[in-house]
Amino acid sequence: MNLQEKFGSGKRSMVELSQIRLRDLVLRVIGLESTSPLMNKAVVEAFVRLHEKGLIYQGSYMVNWSPTLQTAVSDLEVEYSEESGYLYHIRYRVAGGSRNDWLTVATTRPETLFGDVALAVNPQDDRYSKYIGQMAIVPLTFGRHVPIISDKHVDKEFGTGVLKISPGHDHNDYLLARKLGLPILNVMNKDGTLNEVAGLYSGLDRFEARKKLWAELEETGLGVKKEPHTLRVPRSQRGGEIIEPLVSKQWFVSMEPLAEKALQAVEKGELTIIPERFEKIYNHWLSNIKDWCISRQLWWGHRIPVWYIVGKEKEEDYIVARNADEALEKAYKKYGKDVEIYQDPDVLDTWFSSALWPFSTLGWPDLSAEDFKRFYPTTMLETGHDILFFWVARMVMMGIEFTGKVPFSYVYLHGLIRDSQGRKMSKSLGNVIDPLDTIKEFGTDALRFTVALGTAGQDLNLSTERLTSNKAFTNKLWNAGKFVLQNLPKENDISAWENILSYKFDSEESVLNLPLPERWVVSKLHLLIDYVSASYDKFFFGEVGRETYDFFWADFADWYIETSKERLYNSGTGDNSVAFVAQAVLLYTFENILKVLHPFMPFVTEELWQALPNRKHALMVSPWPETQLPKSTSSIKKFENLQALVRAIRNTRAEYSVEPAKRISASVVASNEVIEYIAEEKEVLALLSRLDLQNLHFMNSSPGNADQSVHLVAGEGLEAYLPLADMVDISAEVQRLSKRLSKMQKEYEGFIAKLNSPKFVEKAPEEVVRGVREKATEAEEKITLTKNRLEFLNSNVLVSK
């Protein structure tokens, strides 16, 4: 197969390759579904064991209720948003008091007043202390009385200083009611409508009831006022609807005993969280953890392994078992053979089964399973920082509880992917980026590389510009591979390959014996390997990507590949060793670049690796590059001087619009030491700078035609002189610059006229005035530079005459 057949144009091959690899991966992942009976066995076993230890219990407690899905929702799945709403001021008459004895309550949810069981005031509030111990009449309830109580936690400054306590519909009120022994009164159905406790409002949706209730309160004079107020609204992550706090019978896990061991794992260093700042968040959450409501009223999920007795109340008895047969056997022993049972219709929170993932996927509870013995515990978990509590902390707790070991030693938390403006992706904003569409357009490797360049724990703004840039990087890598392959001997050219493979780069002598460009690139490569190896060990993946990107593009592709062309194509000496050393260094550098990049870009690097001759193993199983290999820092400095000289000459050529193909003369002035190594690579200098090799001179002092040349300072002690007549038609350049100067002068005068106008300076926005000043300064600098160049050109015209 020839190179064109193997690589095509580069672009098409990479995209098709990434799609094929991704499809294979998806198919393998889907294949895991066949293990679901094993997963279910693990989930049931975990539930049973926790229940046997008294860590799972059933009870009626306040939960977050989703009226749309009609299921309990975890605290962690409730998102609070700042939204505009109202604060409603409602009068409660004091029972037995005069016409002026009222308590005014400020509430954001007037429809919950049907569930009021008390009014609370601060005992230090002189406005209301006289009413403590009396009764208040709840509006529109046909005279229902509730006690007026004191509580030091009531904020005298918020609203009216009177707090209505509705324990069936507020988390704080619920805790206060339980502490004080107040009744719990629920006024709402599971679908968000009011129930029979609301009387005439029964059956109305909660928000519809709010509007109607307020209208009637105003009509009866009990509604004092409605004022705008910013609300902290709880919404479900799943459906976006407003969550309703309700008392509901659910299954819970006692978390404190589990959390204590998970805290100790971090404290003892058994678990390291990266970035370190998330350890504080992890510790805070586990130190203030609440019991976990694990039951859900959904149609998908693992069924709760609990069975009830037909004809008996659920609270009276239930059976926890690993399967229906075991449950029935237990029921027979306790109630006789005529008993009938039925399973709890609820399912477990998805995060309950997910918490078992590190070991349930490996065969647990079978501790003798080969996968479990070999792979548990693992080294590192990589996941998003937004599920530190949902998943990570729970996996740690469950892993310690069921196996006695922390499931992983490190947790690496990546950031979230946001749109180019930093916004969270959502369907409503229309800014969702589909990974499959992105892969189709940019390739898997470009997407992986873009995402992996993020910093741990920091969100990443994903833009088309980033993806386009990294697609170009992938193409550059591909094309560099093609260049290397095209310039290596055929695989059956044994003699040539013996020469290439005879070059070793693992000793100081072998590196120092290389020509300067080869010493430079090999030394830079060895520095890169040391740096990225240390960065990988510290999980600084973004640093690895950026450093490798810079080395490959800026050093290897832009400089060494171009330098190698002189060795490969322009060597007229007949000495093949010049070409062999370039081939050896190209191959050595490129294959190590592929190794370093492989974790980021597995598909294109593997394909390129296996296309290289004499590959005995896939890149994926090849050894990591050795570290602490020799480097020549002096050679790096020397080549940087050569680079500076090339850049200076290139910039001057661009400045004077010299045709790219035109070869020009040059005189390089430096000390003997610098001239020695620069002159040794004069062919490279001439190739990269487009110089006339026959008219390239090296000297210790300025040339005779210095006054008719452009003087360049490339670095300390390294200068060059480029004869002006070699580069441009001086007379034509003088005319061009004169016209340009005249135009710039007019623009500058226009800016100055504006700035001298009091009307403009005083009335125009500050940023506009500042912009004009900046443009004037920039124009003045350009005028000065152009004048200097004209003066220089005119002096050369006179000299030539």
Side-chain angles (χ1 to χ4, degrees), residues 21 595 598 602 605-607 609-611 614-623:
R21 298 293 177 94
K595 287 182 178 182
H598 186 62
T605 53
E606 186 69 71
E607 192 74 5
W609 173 272
Q610 295 191 27
N614 304 309
R615 300 299 102 176
K616 296 179 180 179
H617 304 287
L619 175 55
M620 189 176 189
V621 295
S622 295

Side-chain angles (χ1 to χ4, degrees), residues 355-364 372 376 395 398-399 402-403 407:
L356 313 177
W357 184 85
F359 48 92
S360 64
T361 53
L362 302 176
W364 186 89
F372 181 81
Y376 188 88
M395 282 193 287
M398 293 300 188
F402 292 115
T403 72

Side-chain angles (χ1 to χ4, degrees), residues 313-461:
E313 293 293 328
K314 293 183 180 180
E315 293 86 348
E316 186 175 325
D317 207 355
Y318 61 82
I319 296 170
V320 176
R322 289 171 175 79
N323 52 59
D325 291 338
E326 183 182 321
L328 191 58
E329 185 179 340
K330 288 183 177 181
Y332 285 163
K333 289 180 180 179
K334 191 169 183 179
Y335 299 101
K337 295 293 185 182
D338 295 331
V339 72
E340 292 184 36
I341 62 174
Y342 64 96
Q343 190 173 357
D344 194 317
D346 288 357
V347 299
L348 287 163
D349 180 6
T350 304
W351 293 109
F352 183 87
S353 52
S354 298
L356 313 177
W357 184 85
F359 48 92
S360 64
T361 53
L362 302 176
W364 186 89
D366 180 6
L367 301 183
S368 64
E370 286 300 318
D371 284 350
F372 181 81
K373 290 192 295 182
R374 182 174 181 181
F375 296 113
Y376 188 88
T378 189
T379 303
M380 188 178 79
L381 170 75
E382 190 273 347
T383 189
H385 66 71
D386 57 326
I387 53 175
L388 177 60
F389 311 129
F390 283 115
W391 196 33
V392 178
R394 288 169 175 167
M395 282 193 287
V396 174
M397 288 186 279
M398 293 300 188
I400 296 173
E401 172 64 23
F402 292 115
T403 72
K405 298 177 182 178
V406 180
F408 23 74
S409 303
Y410 299 92
V411 175
Y412 179 91
L413 299 170
H414 64 243
L416 306 182
I417 305 299
R418 298 184 178 275
D419 72 5
S420 57
Q421 300 176 43
R423 300 174 300 175
K424 189 174 181 179
M425 294 184 194
S426 70
K427 291 181 181 177
S428 59
L429 290 174
N431 62 344
V432 177
I433 299 175
D434 189 326
L436 294 179
D437 291 340
T438 306
I439 288 169
K440 186 176 181 180
E441 183 175 356
F442 298 98
T444 308
D445 285 312
L447 177 59
R448 282 175 60 102
F449 193 67
T450 302
V451 172
L453 285 181
T455 303
Q458 300 261 9
D459 291 354
L460 177 72
N461 297 351

Side-chain angles (χ1 to χ4, degrees), residues 23 146 156 183 229 252 254 277 308 326 336 361 398 422 471 493 498 635 647 676 703 717 728 756 767 772 782 784:
R23 183 187 64 208
V146 295
K156 294 189 293 182
H229 182 70
F252 297 84
S254 296
R277 69 178 186 274
Y308 302 104
E326 183 182 321
T361 53
M398 293 300 188
K471 179 181 179 180
D493 190 344
E498 284 178 351
S635 298
R647 289 193 189 99
E676 183 179 354
V728 294
N756 289 335
E767 61 270 16
V772 172
K782 288 181 178 179
T784 301

Side-chain angles (χ1 to χ4, degrees), residues 563-579:
T563 298
S564 71
K565 291 177 181 177
E566 192 281 325
R567 276 89 158 96
L568 298 169
Y569 305 151
N570 298 331
S571 178
T573 63
D575 183 3
N576 288 336
S577 63
V578 176

Side-chain angles (χ1 to χ4, degrees), residues 250-266:
Q250 303 288 341
W251 289 94
F252 297 84
V253 177
S254 296
M255 299 301 288
E256 282 191 19
L258 302 173
E260 185 179 354
K261 295 177 183 177
L263 283 165
Q264 290 175 359
V266 171

